[in-house]
Amino acid sequence: MSQSADLLDCLVVGAGPAGLTSAVYLARFRRRLRLVDAGESRVQWIPRTRNVLGFPDGIGGTALLARMREHAACYGIEPWAARVASLARDDEGIFEAAMEGSGAIVRARTVILCTGATDIPPDIEGLDAGLRCGNVRYCPVCDGFETQHQRVAVLGREEHGLREALFVAGFDNEVTWLSMGTRQDVDSAAGERLAACGVRVANGQPRRIACSPGEGIAVHMEDGASLNFDVLYPALGQRHASALATALGARAGEDGQLEVDAHQRTAVPGLWAAGDVAQGLNQINVAAGQAAIAATSVHNFLGQP
Ligand SMILES: Cc1cc2nc3c(=O)[nH]c(=O)nc-3n(C[C@H](O)[C@H](O)[C@H](O)COP(=O)(O)OP(=O)(O)OC[C@H]3O[C@@H](n4cnc5c(N)ncnc54)[C@H](O)[C@@H]3O)c2cc1C
């Protein structure tokens, strides 16, 4: 790879809150950048977020994303609809990203990876309809507040499911942990914490859910039982979209979330990560904060524009 006029200061991969914030900061630092996006931001699944400051009445995910894109457009940034299929780094530290399908190549001195994560869905009939109704939710940190004094089910295995059941119980809910038969895998101290918080445990396998707006949700179990709730939280973890970075030698946890330092740098020189794909709490405010740190670090690394 040789240096040439088409060489960018920075390639930002992913245009959710992290990627759009990175792009706005870099543009305001007068950097040459490109923002590539596959169009699957988790923000699109948010019925109404109420913990993003500046929107006291809340705002729908698609509307929020549109406003963020509008903000980026003020600086001439339009996300390029494409998916980065591979990322390489040459001996001089220049990155080469190849787009899926077209094979188009983008070359950059630095990369900020903002590719996010996806929730692992349970294999249950009726799940998408439940999400559309608002009865199935994925993020108690985001909307646990809205569940207070309701019948809430948490569907998840082992420690992860148990921790989320305890978290949701903290909102004065009547909580049932649908443990998928893994209750025996948690120690007795954890069992005692569940009991102390009044969390019930249902051990069988849920097979199908049925819901209609405003009427709660019925969970039909494999053994024929049917359980009724207001809200169901699947808690099977997430897959972090970090393969482009780990292929270059970046370090990640078991769930794929990338290890980063205080400046959002991965272990690969020239490669930063921000948002859900990077270590930290998976939240919009955190994604934006990490992106601000990453973009400023990239700017300082690159030297004078
Ligand atoms: C149902 C639900 C409700 C939520 N509610 C809230 C809430 O109320 N408050 C809150 O703070 N958070 C909420 N969240 C979490 C929030 O959506 C995420 O924390 C946030 O979207 C993370 O932003 P991000 O930019 O890191 O990733 P994302 O927004 O997921 O964006 C990542 C982008 O990268 C793109 N991408 C991935 N791989 C590639 C590739 N190879 N090439 C090009 N592009 C790629 C994806 O297509 C996507 O557009 C909620 C999430 C869900 C699912």
Side-chain angles (χ1 to χ4, degrees):
M1 292 178 229
S2 62
Q3 305 236 2
S4 68
D6 65 357
L7 185 64
L8 299 171
D9 288 330
C10 188
L11 168 67
V12 180
V13 187
L20 287 162
T21 303
S22 298
V24 167
Y25 271 67
L26 288 167
R28 289 175 53 81
F29 293 145
R30 304 189 304 157
R31 290 297 178 183
R32 268 196 88 213
L33 73 128
R34 187 136 205 199
L35 178 59
V36 180
D37 184 46
E40 292 158 358
S41 168
R42 286 177 78 220
V43 171
Q44 296 171 79
W45 285 102
I46 307 177
R48 195 164 195 86
T49 176
R50 296 182 187 275
N51 62 5
V52 175
L53 275 284
F55 299 97
D57 298 324
I59 181 167
T62 46
L64 178 62
L65 204 55
R67 290 188 77 146
M68 289 179 171
R69 288 176 73 127
E70 196 183 322
H71 195 145
C74 295
Y75 298 96
I77 300 155
E78 292 293 342
W80 177 24
R83 180 180 291 279
V84 175
S86 66
L87 192 60
R89 185 174 174 272
D90 72 10
D91 294 342
E92 292 165 10
I94 303 298
F95 291 91
E96 194 170 280
M99 303 305 130
E100 196 174 85
S102 70
I105 298 288
V106 172
R107 299 175 62 251
R109 294 169 65 197
T110 60
V111 173
I112 306 180
L113 203 69
C114 303
T115 41
T118 47
D119 297 288
I120 299 173
D123 184 14
I124 304 183
E125 205 184 312
L127 190 77
D128 282 354
L131 270 170
R132 282 193 296 274
C133 280
N135 299 87
V136 175
R137 303 186 192 163
Y138 272 108
C139 177
V141 171
C142 310
D143 48 34
F145 184 86
E146 275 70 41
T147 63
Q148 295 178 63
H149 311 294
Q150 296 191 56
R151 298 163 303 163
V152 181
V154 171
L155 172 65
R157 296 188 181 92
E158 299 150 18
E159 279 294 322
H160 188 75
L162 175 135
R163 273 200 314 274
E164 196 144 315
L166 289 172
F167 183 85
V168 170
F171 292 95
D172 288 334
N173 289 311
E174 195 183 294
V175 178
T176 303
W177 176 29
L178 304 175
S179 74
M180 305 173 90
T182 62
R183 178 191 195 166
Q184 64 278 7
D185 297 326
V186 302
D187 63 30
S188 57
E192 282 166 26
R193 270 187 292 146
L194 281 178
C197 293
V199 175
R200 284 178 47 217
V201 182
N203 255 333
Q205 291 289 339
R207 279 287 160 246
R208 187 171 64 83
I209 55 180
C211 74
S212 43
E215 288 191 20
I217 190 161
V219 179
H220 300 285
M221 308 292 283
E222 198 175 52
D223 64 4
S226 176
L227 307 171
N228 294 303
F229 305 103
D230 299 301
V231 174
L232 168 73
Y233 283 107
L236 299 178
Q238 295 184 327
R239 290 194 189 93
H240 297 85
S242 55
L244 294 172
T246 52
L248 289 174
R251 288 189 294 270
E254 266 178 33
D255 58 0
Q257 205 170 33
L258 288 169
E259 290 180 19
V260 288
D261 68 9
H263 299 277
Q264 299 299 129
R265 291 178 292 212
T266 69
V268 178
L271 179 62
W272 281 252
D276 286 0
V277 74
Q279 261 171 354
L281 185 67
N282 289 357
Q283 289 283 282
I284 292 166
N285 294 317
V286 177
Q290 291 184 341
I293 292 168
T296 306
S297 178
V298 164
H299 177 60
N300 290 333
F301 168 86
L302 289 169
Q304 286 302 312

